[in-house]
Amino acid sequence: MKNVMVVIDESNSSYDVLVWVLQNLKDISDSNKLLIFAKQPQSSVTPISLTSSVAFAQLFYPFSPSGELIRLAQQKNMKIALGILEKAKKICGNHGIKADTFTDVGDPNEPIHKIIQERKVNLLVTSDQQNQSLKKCLHNTDCSLLVVEKGIRIN
């Protein structure tokens, strides 16, 4: 049994990679597993600071986002990731393939590495844009990396 994992994000090139896998890796079938991991967008909530001039002195007022603001940003990111996975599942369904989907918060290297080990993934497929950051996921695994370069042709 061969397990293949595709890492996607909100970019169109990620969906192109997924379609390339479905069209070109013919040994993906019911006996093999296709796993899809969606990288969640980075949170756009960052501490804010204001400066105010009083005569010749400047006062510095640091503000950090409230817990509620951070929670709302995380919910938004999760919603985006689930939408990405839903679109990927529809693409797989159009090719007659059922895929297992995953997402996680934060640095994707740790959960991807964990999934590779737990699910015994043989092949990790990614775009050339994500290649550098994902090489770390393969340490101490028997998983190969396939990088689908930009400019691929999809018929």
Side-chain angles (χ1 to χ4, degrees), residues 24-123:
N24 291 287
L25 298 182
K26 300 299 182 195
D27 58 348
I28 295 178
S29 65
D30 292 334
S31 63
N32 299 315
K33 286 284 186 187
L34 177 62
L35 309 166
I36 302 172
F37 183 89
K39 291 173 53 175
Q40 290 189 22
Q42 292 296 328
S43 179
S44 59
V45 178
T46 55
I48 303 167
S49 63
L50 298 174
T51 56
S52 173
S53 295
V54 180
F56 295 107
Q58 285 192 346
L59 300 175
F60 180 75
Y61 303 100
F63 292 92
S64 61
S66 68
E68 178 68 12
L69 186 59
I70 291 171
R71 187 185 64 73
L72 290 172
Q74 289 172 338
Q75 282 181 339
K76 179 187 136 221
N77 290 344
M78 177 61 83
K79 197 176 207 178
I80 291 169
L82 293 175
I84 290 167
L85 290 173
E86 190 61 36
K87 182 176 177 181
K89 284 171 73 172
K90 284 181 184 177
I91 292 169
C92 291
N94 291 341
H95 286 84
I97 301 295
K98 185 180 177 195
D100 292 339
T101 58
F102 303 89
T103 188
D104 205 339
V105 178
D107 179 19
N109 288 325
E110 291 176 35
I112 291 172
H113 183 79
K114 185 177 178 183
I115 293 167
I116 287 171
Q117 290 182 320
E118 289 176 356
R119 298 292 188 109
K120 296 180 177 33
V121 174
N122 306 97
L123 182 64

Side-chain angles (χ1 to χ4, degrees), residues 1-12:
M1 173 154 48
K2 186 175 187 175
N3 292 328
V4 177
M5 177 185 250
V6 180
V7 178
I8 62 174
D9 58 22
E10 66 274 9
S11 69
N12 284 334

